Amino acid sequence: MCAANPAASLRWDDRPGPSAFASATPLRWAEMLGAGVRQPRPARLHEPLAVGTGKLAAGLRTLGIGTASELLEHLPTDRRELQPLCALRVGERVTVAVEVRSLRAHAGHGRRVHSRLEATVVDHTGSLRAVFFNQPWLARRYVPGTRLLLEGKLDAKGTLGVWSHALDPAPATAGGGAIDPSSAAELAITRDHAQNAAIAHYPASYGVTSTQIAALMRELRPALADVLEPLPAAVRVGAGLADRAAALAAVHFPDGEQQLAAGRRRLAFDELLLGQLLLLRRRAQRLARSWAPPLGQRASLSADWLKHGLPFALTADQHTATLALDADLARPQPMQRLLIGEVGSGKTVVALYAMLRAVERGHQATLMAPTETLAEQHAATLTALLAATPAPVALLTSSTPAASRRKLLSQLRDGSLPILVGTHALIEPEVRFGSLAVAVIDEQHRFGVSQRVALDAKREQGTPHVLHLSATPIPRTLALAVYGDLDVSTLRSLPAGRQPVLTRAVAPGAGRRNAYERVRSAVAAGRQAYVVCPLASDSNDSGQLRAAASELARLASAELAGLRLVLLHGQMPVRDKQAAMAAFVAGEADVMVCTTVVEVGIDVPNATVMVVENAERFGISQLHQLRGRVGRGEHASECVLISTTHPSRAPRLRALVDHADGFKLAEIDLELRGSGELAGTRQSGPDSLRVARLPDDSALLQCARGHAEAIMAADPELCAPEHVLLGDVLKATFGARTRTRLAA
Ligand code: ADP
Ligand code: MG
């Protein structure tokens, strides 16, 4: 199933590293080593580290490190996490590999003495200013030409505030900038570089540097002998994996690219396997324990509604989704299906179909939305879509008046009210259904596990079938990693007649002048427009970035003079925001100058032009969401992305220009950013991958999924001797999430 790995024969060599003896403050490990043959004693790994109570201990604590085991699990930076300088975004934690070009020291002054060392650093995609605080001696170490790994945060001016730094242990890559061998300083650095070649770079924190962590790790090297091998031999051999202790050794004490890759592969496999085991266990337990009313085949109510009740035909994806629902609902086990489709892809229609399938069998259905506004919108939409169908819809939120609420609750209990739409108000204990068979959760990631469980409990016997809706398009591989316990349907094609939004990326100057010409001519034709800025108002830090408030003032007396402009950003008082929205919706304003607050909730079909300032500062999915605010009516629409970065250096903007499909854009985003953060995905799953990288590790994920399925099929409780250790690790990793299921 999985390709054997050539470097899999890697073995941990049990000899202690020299520093374990040389250290002035030896850890207990070193003492124990004198005793000849060692028996692995895994319990020792969970004893506290002997690091005292000072700054170092506190620093380690902020990193979640208190024991040897936790230190060994603190993995060094993966080169695959490195980002090109051209792709960095303000406010994000980033790791980059760069070469120093020049350095400038600023002495501190005043009462609190801070010194700043400013370096200009480059990679093959661009340059950047990096600032080191209070480490003036670095000026002698990091001379021009030094290659560094830097971790830090980019401020609004585009300066990288460095949190941790280390010499880059990797050999120079093509295009990384050649070192001039004629310089004496360069030679010194090359020597230094060689000495440090085997030092991994660790995520650090205040109080503890990467170098200190590396030193501790060397002290702890003998403890690797106590690391247990949790994988059954059959899996390890089948997937061609290094053993776990060897993998940790290879990652912490890199000795060649091949070993490092084999080590990472093993650790990534463990992470993916545990995630899949958790998801599959969850799914198996749900199916084994619960019962849901089988709803048989499609009956006349839903069939007639599809044929005559809808003012349009279903798209191919909608049709496929309804067939999948039919198969789920016919079973006596609760459906757990996730329907993923962008805003406007027609999820509501599919959800309503599932609800009618319950109603036509004499059961009830409910739809839960995260906000009152959304719930109201849904109630109105469902009522309109059911105009010719005898299925009344009621709305329940926290602002439902007491009298209507009482009446509604009694109708709900006796079963005479078939469909209830609401907010989380509908999971309160007083809300009881006669027979709830289908529950739809809109924007599922906005609800917690407990809220979903409460909804399950709304059925006295067994649980309802559940359909989760998500508007965040994610690639297939990610769906498996994050939603592996759910069945997934996707709505990829948009309903016919939707106008594609013509998108262009332009430079400031002529490009900007032209963009505002487009705005003027759209307004002259009776349309409206958005101008989106990255900041709400100017601050000391805004640098090159445009702020909505000052942009509005500028545009009013320049490019957009004479037009009716309105301001909208998140820092305005609620009343002013509402007034601004109302004015724009009513057509009393021509142009809305705003921040990303327009990403959500504004629907003005008459708006046909969007101009985005400093577009290089936004992410792909964010720009895609923004762009979705235009192209909502009958008129052709366009989106102009103004960026100081040349399009060839801005793959994100290129992607927006070339693609309208949110799923395609999500794939590109994943490729450019890696899966470190899975935006918009739910919190209850194994949602952050530390070692594995998607899509790079897609094949490994498939492999782990296959092994997880086989293990679950053979031994669902993980109690066979070869699975016991795996069960322990699963429990230790996911704690409370597995406690009720895995016998403690
Ligand atoms: P979502 O919930 O996915 O954001 P909606 O279900 O609200 O999307 O649908 C968006 C709009 O598209 C609605 O006005 C809906 O009536 C319409 N719509 C849905 N399906 C189709 C279809 N197959 N053909 C034409 N219009 C459709
Ligand atoms: Mg919707």
Side-chain angles (χ1 to χ4, degrees):
M1 180 177 358
C2 314
N5 191 304
S9 58
L10 197 70
R11 285 285 176 278
W12 159 239
D13 174 353
D14 203 14
R15 277 170 308 168
S19 62
F21 295 109
S23 164
T25 52
L27 296 176
R28 262 161 289 161
W29 310 106
E31 296 155 20
M32 295 177 204
L33 272 168
V37 180
R38 291 176 44 136
Q39 293 294 323
R41 281 173 47 196
R44 287 189 298 206
L45 288 173
H46 301 292
E47 289 168 16
L49 283 175
V51 287
T53 53
K55 196 166 136 205
L56 176 62
L60 289 171
R61 224 174 14 252
T62 60
L63 294 170
I65 301 171
T67 65
S69 161
E70 283 157 357
L71 183 66
L72 287 175
E73 295 296 331
H74 188 69
L75 301 179
T77 303
D78 183 347
R79 294 196 71 82
R80 289 180 298 176
E81 267 171 35
L82 300 179
Q83 289 176 286
L85 293 187
C86 72
L88 302 185
R89 271 190 268 153
V90 167
E92 261 183 20
R93 167 196 172 142
V94 299
T95 309
V96 296
V98 295
E99 184 182 303
V100 177
R101 273 296 154 85
S102 65
L103 277 167
R104 205 155 55 109
H106 295 264
H109 46 75
R111 221 150 33 94
R112 295 176 57 196
V113 180
H114 288 295
S115 82
R116 284 160 64 92
L117 183 65
E118 289 186 6
T120 302
V121 298
V122 299
D123 73 0
H124 62 288
T125 70
S127 63
L128 189 74
R129 187 169 52 196
V131 179
F132 301 85
F133 298 98
N134 295 327
Q135 300 160 85
W137 60 87
L138 291 177
R140 285 193 307 279
R141 242 178 122 206
Y142 293 165
V143 298
T146 313
R147 283 209 185 72
L148 297 173
L149 291 173
L150 303 178
E151 187 199 1
K153 199 163 161 182
L154 204 63
D155 71 16
K157 281 188 201 137
T159 300
L160 181 70
V162 177
W163 296 344
S164 82
H165 49 91
L167 290 169
D168 184 354
T173 47
I179 290 179
D180 174 9
S182 64
S183 145
E186 234 75 290
L187 291 176
I189 283 305
T190 314
R191 254 201 319 279
D192 199 2
H193 194 151
Q195 275 166 11
N196 281 280
I199 296 182
H201 175 245
Y202 290 94
S205 172
Y206 291 107
V208 52
T209 65
S210 168
T211 313
Q212 283 172 303
I213 295 174
L216 276 175
M217 210 64 84
R218 283 195 298 277
E219 298 294 338
L220 207 59
R221 189 168 182 157
L224 283 168
D226 290 328
V227 170
L228 286 175
E229 173 53 68
L231 283 189
V235 172
R236 199 155 66 73
V237 173
L241 298 166
D243 68 64
R244 187 160 173 93
L248 285 169
V251 168
H252 288 302
F253 313 106
D255 185 20
E257 285 294 314
Q258 221 186 16
Q259 245 104 336
L260 180 59
R264 285 231 176 253
R265 183 168 181 275
R266 165 62 206 261
L267 299 182
F269 180 88
D270 286 8
E271 179 174 75
L272 295 169
L273 181 77
L274 289 176
Q276 291 301 310
L277 281 174
L278 177 75
L279 294 172
L280 288 173
R281 281 187 63 83
R282 222 185 249 172
R283 183 193 166 94
Q285 269 140 4
R286 204 172 51 222
L287 292 182
R289 288 213 184 144
S290 39
W291 174 91
L295 298 177
Q297 297 304 304
R298 203 175 275 187
S300 61
L301 183 75
S302 61
D304 288 351
W305 177 74
L306 281 183
K307 255 197 230 117
H308 312 295
L310 275 178
F312 41 71
L314 294 184
T315 64
D317 286 349
Q318 283 173 323
H319 177 67
T320 309
T322 59
L323 296 184
L325 287 171
D326 284 344
D328 292 345
L329 297 174
R331 292 193 200 104
Q333 279 114 24
M335 166 174 83
Q336 286 286 343
R337 184 165 289 276
L338 173 68
L339 181 64
I340 309 181
E342 296 187 55
V343 175
S345 59
K347 296 186 292 296
T348 314
V349 172
V350 176
L352 182 50
Y353 171 77
M355 296 166 83
L356 290 179
R357 292 294 322 278
V359 175
E360 69 190 1
R361 296 285 170 188
H363 298 285
Q364 291 161 300
T366 190
L367 188 161
M368 180 163 73
T371 67
E372 206 157 311
T373 320
L374 267 175
E376 281 164 14
Q377 271 174 22
H378 275 306
T381 308
L382 296 198
T383 306
L385 283 169
L386 293 175
T389 307
V393 175
L395 174 68
L396 179 68
T397 68
S398 49
S399 36
T400 303
S404 348
R405 180 186 156 93
R406 253 194 318 277
K407 179 154 162 252
L408 194 151
L409 290 185
S410 93
Q411 289 179 334
L412 208 57
R413 217 161 321 157
D414 68 22
S416 59
L417 178 63
I419 298 179
L420 180 67
V421 175
T423 54
H424 42 265
L426 60 76
I427 54 178
E428 283 163 18
E430 308 86 76
V431 182
R432 296 228 289 279
F433 291 80
S435 173
L436 179 65
V438 168
V440 179
I441 306 180
D442 192 22
E443 309 261 353
Q444 51 89 32
H445 65 275
R446 307 254 313 253
F447 293 97
V449 180
S450 60
Q451 287 162 317
R452 292 194 287 253
V453 169
L455 198 54
D456 272 354
K458 290 294 167 194
R459 191 181 167 80
E460 255 159 46
Q461 267 188 316
T463 55
H465 297 284
V466 181
L467 179 66
H468 308 258
L469 307 184
S470 165
T472 308
I474 64 171
R476 280 213 80 75
T477 42
L478 257 196
L480 188 59
V482 185
Y483 301 116
D485 59 337
L486 303 180
D487 298 303
V488 178
S489 293
T490 50
L491 301 183
R492 196 159 176 157
S493 47
L494 295 185
R498 210 51 58 82
Q499 299 249 14
V501 179
L502 175 70
T503 304
R504 287 177 297 137
V506 304
R512 175 180 283 122
R513 276 196 299 282
N514 180 267
Y516 287 110
E517 279 307 314
R518 305 295 306 156
V519 171
R520 292 196 79 95
S521 56
V523 171
R527 306 282 85 77
Q528 290 162 283
Y530 299 101
V531 175
V532 183
C533 301
L535 300 178
S537 51
D538 280 307
S539 70
N540 294 338
D541 259 1
S542 42
Q544 299 294 310
L545 299 185
R546 295 194 180 230
S550 47
E551 237 352 62
L552 181 129
R554 193 188 68 76
L555 288 167
S557 59
E559 288 99 325
L560 301 184
L563 303 192
R564 297 168 301 169
L565 310 185
V566 66
L567 180 69
L568 182 70
H569 62 70
Q571 293 166 15
M572 285 163 48
V574 176
R575 289 242 308 278
D576 295 1
K577 275 196 273 196
Q578 283 169 347
M581 296 237 257
F584 195 63
V585 170
E588 288 155 14
D590 304 313
V591 181
M592 174 173 271
V593 183
C594 52
T595 57
T596 53
V597 286
V598 288
E599 234 183 273
V600 282
I602 294 195
D603 187 6
V604 180
N606 190 47
T608 59
V609 181
M610 171 172 284
V611 178
V612 183
E613 291 281 359
N614 299 110
E616 72 279 2
R617 290 302 176 201
F618 297 98
I620 286 186
S621 62
Q622 209 175 15
L623 287 171
H624 182 60
Q625 292 280 348
L626 281 171
R627 177 169 65 175
R629 298 297 113 200
V630 293
R632 300 171 80 84
E634 64 207 274
H635 305 286
S637 295
E638 61 184 305
C639 175
V640 189
L641 307 172
I642 301 178
S643 158
T644 49
T645 313
H646 189 269
S648 67
R649 287 274 166 86
R652 277 179 278 147
L653 302 187
R654 191 74 258 154
L656 265 300
V657 170
D658 291 344
H659 301 281
D661 174 6
F663 286 90
K664 182 70 202 169
L665 288 169
E667 273 163 33
I668 296 173
D669 201 19
L670 184 60
E671 254 157 51
L672 292 175
R673 284 151 60 78
S675 56
E677 60 185 277
L678 313 184
T681 52
R682 64 179 174 172
Q683 299 303 300
S684 57
D687 42 12
S688 66
L689 298 174
R690 290 186 319 136
V691 195
R693 289 282 166 274
L694 295 172
D696 304 14
D697 289 323
S698 300
L700 197 63
L701 171 59
Q702 294 288 349
C703 177
R705 173 81 176 187
H707 283 288
E709 281 172 358
I711 291 169
M712 287 303 295
D715 179 20
E717 291 305 313
L718 301 180
C719 53
E722 68 270 31
H723 298 144
V724 166
L725 293 179
L726 199 54
D728 288 349
V729 178
L730 194 62
K731 236 187 303 182
T733 309
F734 295 111
R737 290 193 232 159
T738 51
R739 198 185 304 135
T740 51
R741 293 125 180 186
L742 283 173

